[in-house]
Structures are given as C-alpha cells and as structure tokens.
Amino acid sequence: MERRVLIHAPEPADADALARTTRGLGLNAVACPSMSVLMAHLQEGAAAALLTGPSLALLPDAALQSWLSAQPAWSDFPFVVLMGQDGHTPQAMARLRELGNVVVVDHPACDETLTRAVHAAVRQRHRQYTMRQQIDQLEAARAEVQRLNTGLEARIAERTRELAGANDRLTAEIGERERAQTALLHAQKMEAVGRLTGGIAHDFNNLLHVVQMNLDLLGRISKEAKVQEISGRARGAVAKGARLTSQLLSFSRKQSLLPRLSDVNALIEGMRELIAVSVGSAVRVELALDPAPCWAVLDASQLEMALINLAVNAREAMAAGGVLTVRTEHVQREAAGSLPAGDFVAVRVQDTGAGIPAGVLGQVFDPFFTTKPLGSGSGLGLSQVYGFARQSGGEATIDSEEGRGTRVDLLFPAVAAPADDVPPAPEAAIQAVAAGRSVLVVEDDAEVRRVIADSLALLGCRVMQAADGRQGLEILGAQARPDLMVVDYAMPGMTGAEFIVHARQRVGAVPVVLATGYADMAQVGRVLGTQSILIKPFEISTLAACVAQALAPAARGGNPGTLH
C-alpha cells in the first residue's frame, strides 16, 4: 500500500501518461475507472493520488470530505493534479483547497516536472507512514510503561503493606519487650526494697520485743496503779509499732505467718461488723460469699488485717458514701507468672469510690507509696496486702478507673475441706508444769536473750543461754539434756531450723518453742510445724502458755515433741 499510486483521469491519454510516469519511479500504478473505485482504494490506503482537472468536478463532496476529516493526526494524504490553463476556475480552486495537500502541475507538463511532483508526493507520504510507525511505537511504549507502572504500583503497594505489617509487628514486639523490662525492673525494685525493709523491720522488731517484755516484767514486779498505767500506755505504743513492723515484714514476704487451714467464708462473715465499723455509717457493706466452701491455708489474722486495710482505703475513697462489696468465689486459673494452674479462692474487695489515676496505679503496692495527704497514712496498707498474698502462695492484683471505683483481688490456692474439726489443745497449769524445768534459750540478740531468760526465770524455770547455734550445740554436749529449747530463727551461721535438727540428733526429741519475727515458715514447718511458734513481740503470758503447752506431754509422760 505504501508504494501504490491511485490514478483517475477521464481522458485515456492522460491516464496512460500518468501510469507511465508512476511506473518509471518503480511505483505501483492503480487506475481507477470511477470515483467510487477511487474512494474504495483511498479507504484501503495508498502513497498518493494522481488526478486531472476534469476529475475535480467528479469528486464526491460528502464522501471525500468525510474521508479527509477522518484522517489520523499523522496523515495528510497528497494529491497531484494536472490542470490546464483553462481549468483554473473559481470552482476548481475551491475544490483544490478542500483537498488540502495538493501539488498542481500545469498540463501539458514535461515528464521531468511530473516525475518530480509524483516523487515528492510519494516521499512525503513515506515520511507520514514513518511517523505513523513511530507514533505506533510510542503508543506501544507508553502502553508498556503504563503496564509496568501499574505493576510497579501494585508491587509498591504490596511491599508497603508488608513493611507496614512488619513495622506493626516490630512495634508490638518493642512494646511487649518494654512492658517485660518494666515488669522486671519493678520486680527487682520490689525485691530489693523488700530485702532492705525486711532487714530493718527484723532489727526493729527485736527492739520492740525487748521493750514489750521488759514492760511486762515491770508490770509483774510492781503492782502500783501508776506504774501499771504508764506501762499500759507504753505497751499500747509497742503494739502499734508491732503492727507497723508486721506490715513491713509482710511486704518483704519475711513475716512469720502461721498458715492454717481456714474457712475464708467464715472468716469474712465473722468480720462483717468489724468491716462496717471500719468504713463508717456512710458506706454500705455487702458480702457476696460463694455458696461453696472456700478453704485455704493462710494466716487468718493476716487476712483480717488485709481486709481491714482495704476497707479503710475504700472509706477514704468514698468520702461522700458508697458501697463496699466483699465477694468470694472459686476461680480456675491457667499457669501464669509465678502461679501454677489450679483452683484458687478469690477474695474481691470492690468500692464505688473516686478510683485511682492510671498514672499511679502501678505504684500502689510499693511500700510507703500513698495518695493520701502528708501525715494521713504510712503507705504500707496495700504493700502489706501484696506481701501477705504472695507469701501465702497467691497473688494480689488491683483494677481501678477514675470515677468508677477500685477492686482489689486476692487469690489463694484452694484446698479440700477438712474431714473433722480438730479440737483445741487442753489448758495446763502453767506454774505447775514450768517450775523447776530446765530451758535452753538460743538467741543471737543479747537484749532479747536476756529478757526471755528473765521471763522464764520468773516462771520458775532454770535457764541456760546461748548466743548462736554453735554455742547451743556445745552446751548440749557439755550439760544435761534440757527439758525445753526456746530458739530464735534468724541467727548468723546457723538458722534456728538447722539448729533444731542438729540438736535433736544429739539429745533426741526435745520440745521446742520457736520465737521469731523473721522466718522462712516453709522451712520451719518442715522441721517443727506451727504448733509451738511465737511471733515477736509477744507478752510473758503468751510465752508461758506456749512453754506449758510444749512441756505438757512430758509432764504427762508422753513423747515431748516430734520432728515434722
């Protein structure tokens, strides 16, 4: 098509001349006997069209104009028209302007002029075809670029989603690691503070114990009313100090708890009036106790203290009144943190007070932390609750929201109910049992050792004293077997539990009273049990009753104590 030249001339001689010129250029000459044939070939495509002046009058106006208007942007079809001198009429000139790309050659024309005109028209059309090819290539390239861009955008979008997902996972992992590090640092801080608190509280507890027993001795020696009044006030102050050290030791998880099988529901029901008094008349107390028995091994007095602490905190949070709910229930827990999986007794204490700000919620179990005004609280109430729960094999958690109240949950491992109630031990006449009996006192603190020895002497006992476990074993090896040993737990070199084991290996099953305020009760329980344990500070009457209970089997001729 690119080398085809269309020829239309009414005169046969003109048609032959145009065909010869076209073939002389190596082109394909196509004669069109009619205008309809010419239009059909134009639709198919050609390099140029050769016309004569008379052909102009025969061109179809509408069809030609439609074809010319429909040419693509690259196309401007060339026409070569042979026109005689008499053919330059206004109508002919108008028709030439309609054709657009026209080369007019005067007729008759020499072969050279016609050849150049045809050659120029064909070359011009060739350039148009070349442009068409370039445009097609550009369009194909643009389509390919568009396809590649679309694919690239899709890959970029997919990669962006992948990176966003990876970033989200990384952010979550970083957050989880930060939370774990924060929890670890908090646990380490609590452990360090607990060790420091426990050591200080132990020493302070010994001082209170000395003061307590000396006041008791003073009250027994002097019966004057004034002396009794003064010593009574002093003992009240000692009792307050003892509660403070008890809270400190409970937080440090070094308090000498006396865990026994306890009915948690019965304990809480028995405290109903005490809790109501603690919160005041503006707060309504509601107990929602699990209908199923809730038995746990714990120190009942420490649970009572924990509930009173929580009740007092709730009262402070509900200055305008509200509701305090104490609920118990059985909870099945999966293994988490330091707690194994199993059945737990949950004690939930919830108030409708002001709540705790989220920013300080994580600090409420810290010792000495309080949201109360200066001088209004020691900051040890919740730390005592936390330490008691952890030392009892459970945990304490808190949930609060400003304006919606606070809930503290205490979890304790649940145990089966006892088959039978154990009757209390019978009382014995203290002086009759203790008088003349030999007692070995093993205590590293000289003041505590002296006051215990004086108290036992007041009961009529013969007292031997040892400053530590090693000296106590030497006394056992050098002197007769004592009737009773009163042993401290926390001593340098050898703990009280270790001394009891070595002593019984030497002299047999001697009755033992363990006097301590800072003990690993799990180890003590394996050695001695909890039947003959005195928690410092204690009164002489308490010591006397415990000594009489320990000596009673021997006085009746029974086995004086067994190794647990």
Side-chain angles (χ1 to χ4, degrees):
M1 299 296 178
E2 295 181 4
R3 300 189 62 81
R4 187 172 70 164
V5 178
L6 306 178
I7 299 173
H8 182 273
E11 295 295 332
D14 293 337
D16 291 340
L18 294 175
R20 283 196 302 273
T21 301
T22 299
R23 295 190 186 98
L25 293 173
L27 300 172
N28 182 19
V30 178
C32 299
S34 65
M35 279 298 169
S36 60
V37 175
L38 175 65
M39 291 304 301
H41 287 308
L42 284 175
Q43 296 286 349
E44 295 173 357
L50 297 180
L51 306 176
T52 59
S55 298
L56 294 177
L58 302 176
L59 289 173
D61 291 339
L64 181 61
Q65 286 297 327
S66 176
W67 181 81
L68 291 173
S69 300
Q71 290 185 99
W74 56 268
S75 178
D76 189 10
F77 191 80
F79 293 90
V80 178
V81 179
L82 277 70
M83 184 173 290
Q85 293 297 327
D86 56 350
H88 294 273
T89 62
Q91 293 81 0
M93 300 306 295
R95 182 53 61 88
L96 291 174
R97 285 192 296 271
E98 291 174 359
L99 293 177
N101 187 9
V102 178
V103 176
V104 178
V105 178
D106 291 335
H107 185 66
C110 65
D111 291 343
E112 182 65 23
T113 301
L114 182 59
T115 299
R116 285 201 300 271
V118 173
H119 183 65
V122 172
R123 282 194 298 136
Q124 184 187 48
R125 188 60 174 173
H126 178 70
R127 286 195 296 272
Q128 292 178 11
Y129 281 131
T130 301
M131 183 180 296
R132 179 188 65 182
Q133 183 179 6
Q134 292 174 348
I135 291 174
D136 290 343
Q137 291 175 348
L138 286 174
E139 288 295 332
R142 184 170 63 181
E144 180 64 16
V145 169
Q146 182 66 30
R147 185 186 66 81
L148 293 175
N149 283 341
T150 302
L152 180 61
E153 290 175 358
R155 291 195 297 273
I156 290 174
E158 179 64 24
R159 186 58 177 165
T160 301
R161 285 192 295 271
E162 292 176 358
L163 291 175
N167 184 64
D168 291 342
R169 290 192 297 273
L170 179 60
T171 302
E173 290 174 1
I174 291 174
E176 185 63 29
R177 179 173 297 180
E178 289 177 350
R179 285 190 292 272
Q181 290 176 342
T182 301
L184 176 61
L185 290 175
H186 181 71
Q188 291 173 339
K189 180 189 72 174
M190 297 285 276
E191 184 67 24
V193 173
R195 286 196 297 269
L196 176 62
T197 302
I200 295 173
H202 170 251
D203 294 338
F204 186 57
N205 210 44
N206 278 343
L207 294 176
L208 287 175
H209 181 61
V210 174
V211 174
Q212 170 74 51
M213 295 201 73
N214 277 296
L215 287 171
D216 206 358
L217 285 172
L218 180 62
R220 287 173 177 265
I221 293 172
S222 175
K223 300 299 183 179
E224 293 184 19
K226 190 63 176 178
V227 173
Q228 293 292 331
E229 179 184 353
I230 294 173
S231 64
R233 291 198 301 267
R235 282 196 297 270
V238 170
K240 291 181 180 179
R243 285 194 295 271
L244 179 62
T245 57
S246 174
Q247 291 175 334
L248 289 171
L249 289 168
S250 178
F251 166 75
S252 66
R253 287 181 271 168
K254 295 298 183 181
Q255 186 181 25
S256 296
L257 302 182
L258 294 179
R260 291 185 173 89
L261 188 61
S262 304
D263 184 349
V264 176
N265 283 344
L267 285 174
I268 296 176
E269 182 63 46
M271 291 183 65
R272 181 190 293 268
E273 293 184 5
L274 182 58
I275 294 174
V277 171
S278 300
V279 297
S281 59
V283 176
R284 186 173 78 254
V285 177
E286 295 182 353
L287 301 186
L289 305 181
D290 194 318
C294 293
W295 290 89
V297 177
L298 48 79
D299 189 318
S301 63
Q302 288 301 311
L303 176 60
E304 292 173 354
M305 181 182 291
L307 291 177
I308 293 300
N309 280 330
L310 294 176
V312 171
N313 284 345
R315 180 193 64 197
E316 299 295 332
M318 297 184 290
V323 179
L324 176 67
T325 303
V326 181
R327 184 185 308 275
T328 62
E329 58 184 87
H330 282 271
V331 177
Q332 289 292 331
R333 282 280 301 259
E334 299 292 335
S338 60
L339 291 185
D343 183 20
F344 288 82
V345 173
V347 180
R348 308 188 192 277
V349 181
Q350 184 166 7
D351 64 57
T352 58
I356 301 173
V360 300
L361 190 60
Q363 301 173 261
V364 295
F365 287 135
D366 292 359
F368 307 111
F369 177 83
T370 179
T371 57
K372 299 176 184 177
L374 184 64
S376 299
S378 65
L380 290 172
L382 285 178
S383 65
Q384 180 267 338
V385 172
Y386 172 83
F388 162 63
R390 293 300 302 272
Q391 194 174 355
S392 300
E395 70 173 6
T397 60
I398 187 167
D399 183 27
S400 183
E401 184 178 346
E402 286 190 274
R404 300 178 68 99
T406 301
R407 190 183 82 184
V408 177
D409 290 352
L410 305 180
L411 288 183
F412 304 100
V415 296
D420 298 305
D421 293 333
V422 179
E427 296 184 3
I430 294 175
Q431 291 290 347
V433 174
R437 311 301 288 273
S438 62
V439 180
L440 173 62
V441 177
V442 184
E443 166 66 60
D444 63 308
D445 189 295
E447 293 297 328
V448 175
R449 184 172 66 251
R450 182 180 300 112
V451 73
I452 293 178
D454 291 345
S455 300
L456 291 171
L458 188 64
L459 297 175
C461 298
R462 293 181 290 106
V463 183
M464 299 173 285
Q465 301 182 43
D468 53 32
R470 180 188 58 79
Q471 187 178 0
L473 293 177
E474 291 176 356
I475 292 175
L476 290 176
Q479 299 188 28
R481 176 181 183 272
D483 297 311
L484 176 69
M485 295 186 296
V486 178
V487 183
D488 182 33
Y489 176 80
M491 296 185 295
M494 184 186 301
T495 67
E498 293 169 342
F499 169 76
I500 293 170
V501 172
H502 292 304
R504 286 180 168 176
Q505 288 175 350
R506 291 194 178 192
V507 297
V510 179
V512 176
V513 171
L514 188 73
T516 183
Y518 185 80
D520 182 349
M521 296 309 296
Q523 185 176 3
V524 172
R526 288 193 297 268
V527 175
L528 187 65
T530 59
Q531 299 305 314
S532 298
I533 297 178
L534 287 175
I535 305 301
K536 297 177 183 177
F538 50 80
E539 297 180 349
I540 294 177
S541 58
T542 305
L543 172 64
C546 193
V547 167
Q549 181 182 7
L551 290 173
R556 295 193 302 267
N559 186 6
T562 57
L563 180 64
H564 291 259

